[in-house]
Amino acid sequence: MKPLVQVEDLVQEFKVNQGFLDSFKWKDKKLVREKKAVHAVNKVSFDIYPGEAFSLVGESGCGKSTTAKTIIRLLNPVSGRIYYGGEDISRLKSEKMLPYRKKMQMIFQDPYASLDPQKTIKSIIMEPMLFHKVVANKKEAEEKCMELLKKVGLRPEQATRYPHQFSGGQRQRIGIARALAVEPEFIIADEPVSALDVSIQAQILNLMMDLKDEYGFSYLFIAHDLSVVRHISDRLGVMYLGTIVEMGTKRDVFEHVAHPYTKLLFSAVPTVGEEPIVPPMKMEGEIPNPVNLPQGCVFHDRCPYCKEICKTVRPDFKELEPGHQVACHLFA
Ligand code: SF4
């Protein structure tokens, strides 16, 4: 099967605002101007297949949301390639991106902030349908809107209400209905349940999975909560400081966890009455500043297994078993 989305060596950076004088440094006895940047995404590569739920997981600030926003072209990549259905969309201008904007949709973390408070639910859901011409007219759009509301667990009579009249879980259901309105093939869900009560999270996740099974689209899930990732993913990539350090199927990563950073993440998961995935681990040090990325392995400052080579040579991916890849010198 061919991938639906391919991400190759994706790089995303944000310039740091410095004073004019602060940007000059002495280098080899010369005064040179240095432009600093936050290295948010650093040569990230992965594929997502049709009908697959792929997750990016990691602590906040690891670059997972920036990767997602770059793939959907809310941000332009600094370098690297994004292919959708085999077509290179990395540098398409807005006009040429339009057909892809219909195929790729996003569900946001904060459903309230992503819904226009001035508009009724009906107009929020109908607007993209009419814009992308997935329906012939307003009447058809209204019928489809009512159908979608029922699909996501809301009542058609709620269509004339405004976002503030709904609970957080209901607003996320509206966000899902809006994403489905244009019949997408690929949905990016950026921490879709992290702003919701725990009791509501499972309902929304189950709804999202049921809809995927019914419509057959693919997901890119962005999450920091490993129980969410375990529930929803077919495959996942673990990110640290803008790079993927381990990638594989849910079984590969949860049952044969290999990378020291993944072990650290797993060791922090509280378990009640169950064996922990990884025994508690103590990790030294702070996450390095993404403006000055460490040489070699980006995790070496904090890794208890760090060897000399880790400080200078960035590890390549090694395949531990088909599809299970780890970037770590322990597996050379
Ligand atoms: Fe630790 Fe070295 Fe592996 Fe990095 S490459 S995770 S520093 S052992």
Side-chain angles (χ1 to χ4, degrees):
M1 192 193 292
K2 287 187 181 157
L4 179 66
V5 179
Q6 292 165 278
V7 178
E8 274 181 19
D9 288 333
L10 192 69
V11 172
Q12 187 58 269
E13 295 174 352
F14 302 106
K15 285 198 184 104
V16 174
N17 278 333
Q18 316 162 258
F20 180 73
L21 292 176
D22 289 342
S23 63
F24 286 93
K25 293 274 170 303
W26 287 103
K27 213 173 187 177
D28 300 329
K29 297 184 184 167
K30 282 187 199 150
L31 196 58
V32 289
R33 188 161 184 208
E34 272 185 351
K35 286 187 185 158
K36 288 193 177 169
V38 172
H39 303 281
V41 179
N42 200 3
K43 295 209 165 209
V44 160
S45 302
F46 59 87
D47 296 337
I48 301 175
Y49 290 86
E52 184 181 46
F54 181 85
S55 296
L56 284 177
V57 62
E59 292 163 289
S60 62
C62 70
K64 52 192 191 306
S65 290
T66 307
T67 303
K69 285 179 189 149
T70 310
I71 292 172
I72 209 164
R73 293 289 315 280
L74 293 177
L75 299 167
N76 290 325
V78 169
S79 65
R81 301 271 164 204
I82 304 151
Y83 296 93
Y84 188 91
E87 296 296 317
D88 185 352
I89 60 161
S90 339
R91 276 155 195 84
L92 289 186
K93 300 262 181 276
S94 355
E95 228 174 84
K96 294 242 165 99
M97 257 316 279
L98 212 54
Y100 296 97
R101 299 233 176 269
K102 175 186 168 298
K103 294 175 187 194
M104 301 195 275
Q105 287 294 302
M106 193 145 180
I107 298 169
F108 296 91
Q109 177 181 11
D110 181 350
Y112 194 55
S114 68
L115 300 174
D116 187 339
Q118 318 266 9
K119 290 185 177 162
T120 61
I121 298 318
K122 190 163 88 171
S123 57
I124 288 173
I125 297 173
M126 282 169 56
E127 207 170 68
M129 284 184 217
L130 293 164
F131 179 79
H132 286 290
K133 300 189 174 61
V134 289
V135 285
N137 50 45
K138 263 192 163 181
K139 186 172 173 287
E140 220 179 280
E142 203 164 326
E143 282 166 10
K144 196 174 159 71
C145 169
M146 300 307 156
E147 227 177 83
L148 280 172
L149 285 177
K150 282 194 247 167
K151 279 260 182 259
V152 299
L154 295 169
R155 297 190 311 277
E157 58 269 28
Q158 293 174 303
T160 50
R161 296 187 189 164
Y162 291 85
H164 73 270
Q165 295 175 286
F166 293 87
S167 68
Q170 286 176 320
R171 283 183 211 134
Q172 198 54 294
R173 288 175 193 271
I174 297 162
I176 294 168
R178 180 181 54 183
L180 293 181
V182 293
E183 301 166 4
E185 298 169 340
F186 176 51
I187 294 182
I188 293 181
D190 188 358
E191 302 272 13
V193 295
S194 61
L196 304 178
D197 284 352
V198 177
S199 57
I200 309 293
Q201 288 187 357
Q203 293 174 17
I204 298 293
L205 289 174
N206 287 336
L207 170 68
M208 292 176 78
M209 294 317 286
D210 289 348
L211 292 169
K212 178 176 96 71
D213 291 343
E214 184 175 344
Y215 291 100
F217 47 71
S218 308
Y219 275 127
L220 169 59
F221 258 89
I222 305 299
H224 68 276
D225 183 336
L226 286 164
S227 54
V228 168
V229 170
R230 194 172 198 173
H231 186 78
I232 209 136
S233 319
D234 296 313
R235 286 189 308 125
L236 63 142
V238 180
M239 282 190 83
Y240 179 76
L241 213 60
T243 65
I244 293 185
V245 295
E246 182 161 3
M247 185 158 53
T249 62
K250 177 167 62 177
R251 192 189 128 268
D252 290 339
V253 181
F254 279 88
E255 292 180 18
H256 305 127
V257 51
H259 195 280
Y261 174 66
T262 317
K263 287 184 179 173
L264 168 72
L265 268 189
F266 285 6
S267 77
V269 177
T271 51
V272 181
E274 272 180 36
E275 276 291 299
I277 304 168
V278 168
M281 278 171 77
K282 191 166 177 281
M283 202 67 62
E284 304 294 335
E286 299 285 319
I287 299 179
N289 184 341
V291 175
N292 302 309
L293 285 181
Q295 248 202 314
C297 169
V298 286
F299 190 53
H300 83 252
D301 285 345
R302 302 175 71 201
C303 179
Y305 312 103
C306 180
K307 307 189 281 184
E308 256 335 285
I309 187 175
C310 307
K311 297 177 187 170
T312 50
V313 180
R314 182 171 166 166
D316 288 330
F317 265 127
K318 301 277 161 10
E319 194 156 74
L320 302 185
E321 50 198 314
H324 185 191
Q325 296 173 307
V326 178
C328 175
H329 289 302
L330 292 179
F331 303 95

